Amino acid sequence: SYVKAAALGGIVGYQTAAISGCTNKGALSLSAKDISAKSEIEGVTSLPTLGGIIGLSNNGFSADGCNNYGKITVNYSAAAPAANMNRNQHGGIVGSPVGDVSNCNNYGDLEITLKSASGSAIADYEFILCIGGIGGGDYINTSSSGVISNTNYTNCVNEGNIKVYSDASKANSTVGGIVGWPGQEKATDKVTKNCTNKGNITISGLLKGRFAGIQGGTGAMDGCVNEGKITIESADAASAVGSLCG
């Protein structure tokens, strides 16, 4: 079976307004051989995105005081992409946020698997994963070829363990205890502030990526603490790892 864009959340799949005080205790799971194509969801060029509370968001969104206890599982068992598949974003609270996330806690594990159909590295096309204990990534493409990037993460805690297996070596995936891909990795006033990661992060496969306790990609941080263990079982030699930022 194959899947196109899907926005899956423990409370709501697609959100364009503030959400607060919500708790999810149910598991979320997506399983397919591969992604067949991208789709449009109200102007957002989307790939499958899962979040313990919210899957995909858009302008007007914010999340405050939400808690997720459910495990998130994504399994692509035989990936052989015929085009670039950027960016698959999955998070313990929100997969793809467009707006501030504050005072949220994730206790659920994330287990993301992307196996190539051939058993060798996926090197012809990009297949980027952005995985975070709170948010997958603050980076959403629009149908007008613009990019929305306006998320601050404040006073959030992740205690869920994150396990990522990927064979995608064409471009960098990002995995972080709080956020995978923060902003657009350039000068911005957006910041990950006073956030703590207590979950362990385990990386394996043939992927190239950046992995860290707070942010996989580069972005501003203030007062953040990582207490989780980061284990790289295998990865492409061009990968990077850091306690706070990859």
Side-chain angles (χ1 to χ4, degrees):
S1 61
Y2 295 84
V3 64
K4 291 182 73 174
L8 305 177
I11 299 296
V12 60
Y14 179 72
Q15 183 76 356
T16 58
I19 186 170
S20 63
C22 293
T23 298
N24 172 59
K25 296 184 178 180
L28 286 84
S29 179
L30 172 66
S31 180
K33 288 182 178 178
D34 201 356
I35 300 173
S36 60
K38 299 180 181 180
S39 291
E40 291 288 328
I41 299 178
E42 295 197 2
V44 175
T45 304
S46 183
L47 290 168
T49 180
L50 275 68
I53 303 295
I54 308 103
L56 175 68
S57 66
N58 210 327
N59 288 318
F61 163 82
S62 64
D64 181 70
C66 295
N67 297 286
N68 174 60
Y69 295 86
K71 182 177 180 179
I72 296 171
T73 304
V74 178
N75 181 19
Y76 299 119
S77 60
N84 290 341
M85 292 297 172
N86 306 333
R87 296 174 167 81
N88 285 247
Q89 301 190 144
H90 309 296
I93 297 296
V94 54
S96 297
V98 176
D100 292 342
V101 180
S102 56
N103 305 305
C104 293
N105 303 295
N106 175 58
Y107 305 98
D109 293 345
L110 288 86
E111 188 168 336
I112 314 298
T113 302
L114 172 59
K115 291 188 175 181
S116 71
S118 65
S120 57
I122 299 170
D124 292 332
Y125 293 98
E126 297 177 359
F127 204 137
I128 296 176
L129 299 172
C130 300
I131 313 299
I134 300 297
D138 174 28
Y139 192 106
I140 296 183
N141 291 291
T142 67
S143 55
S144 61
S145 299
V147 173
I148 303 172
S149 179
N150 62 353
T151 299
N152 295 298
Y153 296 89
T154 308
N155 299 329
C156 295
V157 177
N158 173 59
E159 295 190 13
N161 296 320
I162 302 173
K163 185 176 182 180
V164 176
Y165 177 100
S166 173
D167 286 327
S169 65
K170 176 67 174 179
N172 284 316
S173 289
T174 54
V175 182
I178 299 299
V179 53
W181 189 294
Q184 299 181 55
E185 298 195 330
K186 63 182 183 181
T188 176
D189 61 350
K190 302 307 172 186
V191 62
T192 301
K193 185 174 183 178
N194 296 336
C195 292
T196 300
N197 173 57
K198 299 181 180 180
N200 297 324
I201 298 172
T202 303
I203 304 297
S204 58
L206 304 172
L207 79 167
K208 180 169 68 174
R210 286 166 285 171
F211 322 113
I214 301 297
Q215 297 182 153
T218 300
M221 288 182 288
D222 183 7
C224 294
V225 176
N226 173 50
E227 299 176 5
K229 180 180 180 181
I230 303 171
T231 302
I232 311 300
E233 295 182 342
S234 61
D236 187 272
S239 299
V241 60
S243 176
L244 295 176
C245 179

